[in-house]
mmCIF file of all heavy atoms in Angstrom:
data_model
loop_
_atom_site.group_PDB
_atom_site.id
_atom_site.type_symbol
_atom_site.label_atom_id
_atom_site.label_comp_id
_atom_site.label_asym_id
_atom_site.label_seq_id
_atom_site.Cartn_x
_atom_site.Cartn_y
_atom_site.Cartn_z
ATOM 1 N N PRO A 248 -7.450 5.580 2.511
ATOM 2 C CA PRO A 248 -7.492 5.068 1.134
ATOM 3 C C PRO A 248 -7.116 6.224 0.203
ATOM 4 O O PRO A 248 -7.228 7.399 0.584
ATOM 5 C CB PRO A 248 -8.966 4.705 0.939
ATOM 6 C CG PRO A 248 -9.558 4.623 2.303
ATOM 7 C CD PRO A 248 -8.779 5.558 3.155
ATOM 8 N N ILE A 249 -6.688 5.894 -0.985
ATOM 9 C CA ILE A 249 -6.563 6.973 -1.972
ATOM 10 C C ILE A 249 -7.925 7.045 -2.654
ATOM 11 O O ILE A 249 -8.487 6.036 -3.066
ATOM 12 C CB ILE A 249 -5.394 6.734 -2.955
ATOM 13 C CG1 ILE A 249 -5.380 5.289 -3.479
ATOM 14 C CG2 ILE A 249 -4.071 7.073 -2.277
ATOM 15 C CD1 ILE A 249 -4.388 5.077 -4.612
ATOM 16 N N TYR A 250 -8.463 8.256 -2.720
ATOM 17 C CA TYR A 250 -9.862 8.397 -3.147
ATOM 18 C C TYR A 250 -9.961 8.471 -4.666
ATOM 19 O O TYR A 250 -9.083 9.015 -5.341
ATOM 20 C CB TYR A 250 -10.471 9.643 -2.489
ATOM 21 C CG TYR A 250 -10.358 9.582 -0.969
ATOM 22 C CD1 TYR A 250 -9.546 10.474 -0.278
ATOM 23 C CD2 TYR A 250 -11.021 8.593 -0.245
ATOM 24 C CE1 TYR A 250 -9.413 10.394 1.105
ATOM 25 C CE2 TYR A 250 -10.891 8.502 1.130
ATOM 26 C CZ TYR A 250 -10.082 9.408 1.802
ATOM 27 O OH TYR A 250 -9.942 9.323 3.159
ATOM 28 N N TYR A 251 -11.057 7.945 -5.177
ATOM 29 C CA TYR A 251 -11.288 8.002 -6.623
ATOM 30 C C TYR A 251 -11.489 9.446 -7.054
ATOM 31 O O TYR A 251 -12.197 10.207 -6.379
ATOM 32 C CB TYR A 251 -12.560 7.226 -6.984
ATOM 33 C CG TYR A 251 -12.406 5.722 -6.935
ATOM 34 C CD1 TYR A 251 -13.343 4.941 -6.271
ATOM 35 C CD2 TYR A 251 -11.352 5.083 -7.585
ATOM 36 C CE1 TYR A 251 -13.228 3.554 -6.239
ATOM 37 C CE2 TYR A 251 -11.236 3.700 -7.550
ATOM 38 C CZ TYR A 251 -12.170 2.944 -6.879
ATOM 39 O OH TYR A 251 -12.057 1.586 -6.853
ATOM 40 N N HIS A 257 -16.633 14.137 -0.070
ATOM 41 C CA HIS A 257 -17.789 14.351 0.791
ATOM 42 C C HIS A 257 -17.402 13.966 2.213
ATOM 43 O O HIS A 257 -16.249 13.580 2.463
ATOM 44 C CB HIS A 257 -19.030 13.606 0.280
ATOM 45 C CG HIS A 257 -18.873 12.124 0.117
ATOM 46 N ND1 HIS A 257 -18.605 11.290 1.180
ATOM 47 C CD2 HIS A 257 -18.940 11.325 -0.984
ATOM 48 C CE1 HIS A 257 -18.534 10.042 0.739
ATOM 49 N NE2 HIS A 257 -18.718 10.040 -0.567
ATOM 50 N N GLY A 259 -17.890 11.471 3.982
ATOM 51 C CA GLY A 259 -17.391 10.106 4.170
ATOM 52 C C GLY A 259 -15.870 10.097 4.034
ATOM 53 O O GLY A 259 -15.145 9.552 4.871
ATOM 54 N N HIS A 260 -15.381 10.732 2.961
ATOM 55 C CA HIS A 260 -13.924 10.815 2.776
ATOM 56 C C HIS A 260 -13.311 11.628 3.915
ATOM 57 O O HIS A 260 -12.237 11.305 4.429
ATOM 58 C CB HIS A 260 -13.573 11.500 1.451
ATOM 59 C CG HIS A 260 -14.232 10.894 0.246
ATOM 60 N ND1 HIS A 260 -15.153 11.558 -0.519
ATOM 61 C CD2 HIS A 260 -14.115 9.653 -0.299
ATOM 62 C CE1 HIS A 260 -15.564 10.772 -1.506
ATOM 63 N NE2 HIS A 260 -14.956 9.601 -1.386
ATOM 64 N N THR A 263 -12.636 9.628 7.322
ATOM 65 C CA THR A 263 -11.386 8.857 7.413
ATOM 66 C C THR A 263 -10.185 9.790 7.513
ATOM 67 O O THR A 263 -9.255 9.551 8.294
ATOM 68 C CB THR A 263 -11.187 7.996 6.134
ATOM 69 O OG1 THR A 263 -12.438 7.509 5.694
ATOM 70 C CG2 THR A 263 -10.212 6.872 6.377
ATOM 71 N N ASP A 288 -6.661 8.091 -6.345
ATOM 72 C CA ASP A 288 -6.638 6.891 -7.167
ATOM 73 C C ASP A 288 -7.138 7.327 -8.539
ATOM 74 O O ASP A 288 -8.324 7.611 -8.706
ATOM 75 C CB ASP A 288 -7.608 5.889 -6.506
ATOM 76 C CG ASP A 288 -7.550 4.520 -7.115
ATOM 77 O OD1 ASP A 288 -6.852 4.334 -8.119
ATOM 78 O OD2 ASP A 288 -8.223 3.617 -6.564
ATOM 79 N N TYR A 476 0.604 2.692 -1.006
ATOM 80 C CA TYR A 476 1.035 2.752 0.390
ATOM 81 C C TYR A 476 2.546 2.580 0.531
ATOM 82 O O TYR A 476 3.124 2.995 1.528
ATOM 83 C CB TYR A 476 0.319 1.665 1.209
ATOM 84 C CG TYR A 476 -1.191 1.808 1.221
ATOM 85 C CD1 TYR A 476 -2.017 0.729 0.894
ATOM 86 C CD2 TYR A 476 -1.789 3.016 1.564
ATOM 87 C CE1 TYR A 476 -3.396 0.852 0.912
ATOM 88 C CE2 TYR A 476 -3.173 3.146 1.575
ATOM 89 C CZ TYR A 476 -3.970 2.060 1.247
ATOM 90 O OH TYR A 476 -5.331 2.188 1.263
ATOM 91 N N ALA A 503 -13.031 2.651 5.371
ATOM 92 C CA ALA A 503 -14.332 2.107 5.763
ATOM 93 C C ALA A 503 -14.374 0.639 5.351
ATOM 94 O O ALA A 503 -13.504 0.155 4.632
ATOM 95 C CB ALA A 503 -15.451 2.893 5.102
ATOM 96 N N ASP A 505 -16.008 -0.872 3.236
ATOM 97 C CA ASP A 505 -16.341 -1.200 1.847
ATOM 98 C C ASP A 505 -15.183 -1.841 1.087
ATOM 99 O O ASP A 505 -15.406 -2.534 0.106
ATOM 100 C CB ASP A 505 -16.825 0.060 1.096
ATOM 101 C CG ASP A 505 -15.859 1.237 1.198
ATOM 102 O OD1 ASP A 505 -15.048 1.260 2.141
ATOM 103 O OD2 ASP A 505 -15.915 2.134 0.336
ATOM 104 N N ILE A 506 -13.950 -1.609 1.523
ATOM 105 C CA ILE A 506 -12.821 -2.099 0.734
ATOM 106 C C ILE A 506 -11.984 -3.096 1.544
ATOM 107 O O ILE A 506 -10.764 -3.164 1.419
ATOM 108 C CB ILE A 506 -11.984 -0.911 0.194
ATOM 109 C CG1 ILE A 506 -11.735 0.147 1.278
ATOM 110 C CG2 ILE A 506 -12.690 -0.252 -0.968
ATOM 111 C CD1 ILE A 506 -10.958 1.370 0.796
ATOM 112 N N HIS A 532 -13.420 1.500 9.717
ATOM 113 C CA HIS A 532 -14.468 2.204 10.464
ATOM 114 C C HIS A 532 -15.825 2.023 9.798
ATOM 115 O O HIS A 532 -15.925 1.430 8.725
ATOM 116 C CB HIS A 532 -14.108 3.683 10.646
ATOM 117 C CG HIS A 532 -13.978 4.449 9.361
ATOM 118 N ND1 HIS A 532 -15.050 4.713 8.549
ATOM 119 C CD2 HIS A 532 -12.913 5.005 8.761
ATOM 120 C CE1 HIS A 532 -14.645 5.412 7.505
ATOM 121 N NE2 HIS A 532 -13.341 5.588 7.596
ATOM 122 N N PHE A 534 -19.662 2.886 8.155
ATOM 123 C CA PHE A 534 -20.115 3.579 6.958
ATOM 124 C C PHE A 534 -21.160 4.603 7.344
ATOM 125 O O PHE A 534 -22.078 4.307 8.100
ATOM 126 C CB PHE A 534 -20.685 2.557 5.973
ATOM 127 C CG PHE A 534 -20.253 2.882 4.585
ATOM 128 C CD1 PHE A 534 -18.927 2.709 4.214
ATOM 129 C CD2 PHE A 534 -21.147 3.412 3.672
ATOM 130 C CE1 PHE A 534 -18.491 3.051 2.942
ATOM 131 C CE2 PHE A 534 -20.722 3.755 2.391
ATOM 132 C CZ PHE A 534 -19.398 3.572 2.022
ATOM 133 N N LEU A 535 -21.021 5.812 6.833
ATOM 134 C CA LEU A 535 -21.950 6.883 7.201
ATOM 135 C C LEU A 535 -23.041 7.038 6.149
ATOM 136 O O LEU A 535 -22.766 6.976 4.951
ATOM 137 C CB LEU A 535 -21.216 8.219 7.310
ATOM 138 C CG LEU A 535 -19.985 8.293 8.214
ATOM 139 C CD1 LEU A 535 -19.408 9.707 8.210
ATOM 140 C CD2 LEU A 535 -20.364 7.901 9.634
ATOM 141 N N MET A 542 -24.470 7.827 0.708
ATOM 142 C CA MET A 542 -23.743 8.840 -0.069
ATOM 143 C C MET A 542 -22.988 8.114 -1.163
ATOM 144 O O MET A 542 -21.870 7.690 -0.960
ATOM 145 C CB MET A 542 -22.699 9.529 0.810
ATOM 146 C CG MET A 542 -23.248 10.448 1.837
ATOM 147 S SD MET A 542 -21.899 11.285 2.668
ATOM 148 C CE MET A 542 -21.407 10.041 3.849
HETATM 149 O O1 ME8 B 5 -12.533 2.847 -2.658
HETATM 150 N N1 ME8 B 5 -18.813 6.521 5.168
HETATM 151 O O2 ME8 B 5 -12.001 5.030 -3.161
HETATM 152 P P1 ME8 B 5 -13.311 5.819 -2.689
HETATM 153 C C1 ME8 B 5 -17.577 6.396 5.659
HETATM 154 N N2 ME8 B 5 -9.984 4.277 -4.619
HETATM 155 N N3 ME8 B 5 -16.465 6.467 4.890
HETATM 156 C C2 ME8 B 5 -16.612 6.686 3.584
HETATM 157 C C3 ME8 B 5 -17.883 6.840 3.003
HETATM 158 C C4 ME8 B 5 -19.023 6.749 3.856
HETATM 159 N N4 ME8 B 5 -20.256 6.881 3.406
HETATM 160 N N5 ME8 B 5 -17.727 7.039 1.690
HETATM 161 C C5 ME8 B 5 -16.387 7.020 1.445
HETATM 162 C C6 ME8 B 5 -11.799 3.701 -3.142
HETATM 163 N N6 ME8 B 5 -15.711 6.809 2.580
HETATM 164 C C7 ME8 B 5 -10.472 3.281 -3.732
HETATM 165 C C8 ME8 B 5 -9.538 3.025 -2.590
HETATM 166 S S1 ME8 B 5 -7.161 2.403 -1.587
HETATM 167 C C9 ME8 B 5 -5.856 1.583 -2.110
HETATM 168 C C10 ME8 B 5 -8.175 2.558 -2.985
HETATM 169 C C11 ME8 B 5 -14.254 6.746 2.711
HETATM 170 O O3 ME8 B 5 -13.149 7.196 -3.229
HETATM 171 C C12 ME8 B 5 -13.813 5.462 3.381
HETATM 172 O O4 ME8 B 5 -12.507 5.613 3.824
HETATM 173 O O5 ME8 B 5 -14.527 5.074 -3.035
HETATM 174 C C13 ME8 B 5 -13.855 4.493 2.223
HETATM 175 O O6 ME8 B 5 -13.148 3.303 2.478
HETATM 176 C C14 ME8 B 5 -13.229 5.327 1.147
HETATM 177 O O7 ME8 B 5 -13.705 6.668 1.403
HETATM 178 C C15 ME8 B 5 -13.583 4.903 -0.253
HETATM 179 O O8 ME8 B 5 -13.117 5.881 -1.119
#
Side-chain angles (χ1 to χ4, degrees):
I249 46 171
Y250 303 113
Y251 285 132
H257 57 63
H260 307 115
T263 323
D288 189 354
Y476 299 129
D505 53 338
I506 45 182
H532 62 68
F534 221 70
L535 307 181
M542 288 185 279

